[in-house]
């Protein structure tokens, strides 16, 4: 069970393991109580449905350590997307094997982290990966490398550290670990 959002509108620091079904019935989708008037439960549910497609593809290639957060894990009425990372084998990633296996499964062939594959989004100035354009979910591979995000002191972080702090103010926050459905 998830705790309620803290005074900063985030999950309290910690890892919270949820299955996809538990995620669908959590406060991240149904909203806190009392529910804010503009809470977009339908949008949040569609994001989880899209996340499920990608998570099942990762499971199919043997990836089980999957974590999600971003504005989806905050008290934002209408989050833009779901962000996350997954732990993977460095050799499978660097050789391109992981990307090829995932794209063999995905009908839209969206699995890439190549910056050249980013396309602008009409609603912003930010270029997004193909997976974001199709699913509104961005999942990044992690094998122990730095991720390009820095803490408030300018130190480079790995995904596990970076995803457990607010990018706005560096406060610690909670993250969701996707548990496998039995």
């Amino acid at each position: 069970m998830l705790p309620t959002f803290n005074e900063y509108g985030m999950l309290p620091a910690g890892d919270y393991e949820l299955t996809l079904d538990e995620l669908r019935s959590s406060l991240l989708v149904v909203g806190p109580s009392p529910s804010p008037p503009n809470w977009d439960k339908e949008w949040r549910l569609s994001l989880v449905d899209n996340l499920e497609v990608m998570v099942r593809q990762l499971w199919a290639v043997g990836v089980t350590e999957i974590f999600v957060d971003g504005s989806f894990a905050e008290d934002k009425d209408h989050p833009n997307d779901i962000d996350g990372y997954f732990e993977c084998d460095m050799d499978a990633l660097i050789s391109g094997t992981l990307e090829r296996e995932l794209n063999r499964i995905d009908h839209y062939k969206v699995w890439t982290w190549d910056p050249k594959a980013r396309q602008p989004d009409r609603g912003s100035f930010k270029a997004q990966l193909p997976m974001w354009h199709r699913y509104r979910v961005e999942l990044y591979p992690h094998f122990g490398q730095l991720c390009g995000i820095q803490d408030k002191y300018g130190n480079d972080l790995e995904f596990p550290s970076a995803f457990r702090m607010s990018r706005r103010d560096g406060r610690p926050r909670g993250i969701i670990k996707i548990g496998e459905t039995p």
Side-chain angles (χ1 to χ4, degrees), residues 28-88:
L28 298 180
V29 173
V30 300
S33 184
S35 186
N38 296 322
W39 191 263
D40 199 341
K41 178 180 175 180
E42 290 75 24
W43 172 248
R44 286 173 165 272
L45 189 57
S46 71
L47 288 174
V48 174
D49 290 344
N50 289 345
L51 173 66
E52 181 173 14
V53 171
M54 297 181 76
V55 165
R56 290 195 178 282
Q57 291 172 4
L58 288 167
W59 288 344
V61 300
V63 173
T64 59
E65 299 294 309
I66 305 165
F67 299 86
V68 297
D69 74 343
S71 60
F72 177 78
E74 297 178 359
D75 68 354
K76 188 174 182 181
D77 290 343
H78 185 89
N80 199 34
D81 57 15
I82 293 178
D83 299 309
Y85 74 93
F86 58 91
E87 295 178 9
C88 67

Side-chain angles (χ1 to χ4, degrees), residues 1-3 11-18 65-69 85 87 159-161 163-165 173-178:
M1 189 126 171
L2 287 179
L11 289 175
D15 288 20
Y16 304 98
E17 186 167 344
L18 298 175
E65 299 294 309
I66 305 165
F67 299 86
V68 297
D69 74 343
Y85 74 93
E87 295 178 9
F159 282 111
S161 298
F163 274 72
R164 287 169 176 80
M165 63 177 232
R173 67 174 178 189
I175 191 168
I176 305 301
K177 179 180 191 272
I178 303 298

Side-chain angles (χ1 to χ4, degrees), residues 132-149:
W132 185 91
H133 285 282
R134 174 65 188 126
Y135 296 111
R136 294 297 278 252
V137 175
E138 281 188 315
L139 298 176
Y140 292 92
H142 177 66
F143 56 85
Q145 81 279 21
L146 300 176
C147 68
I149 299 172

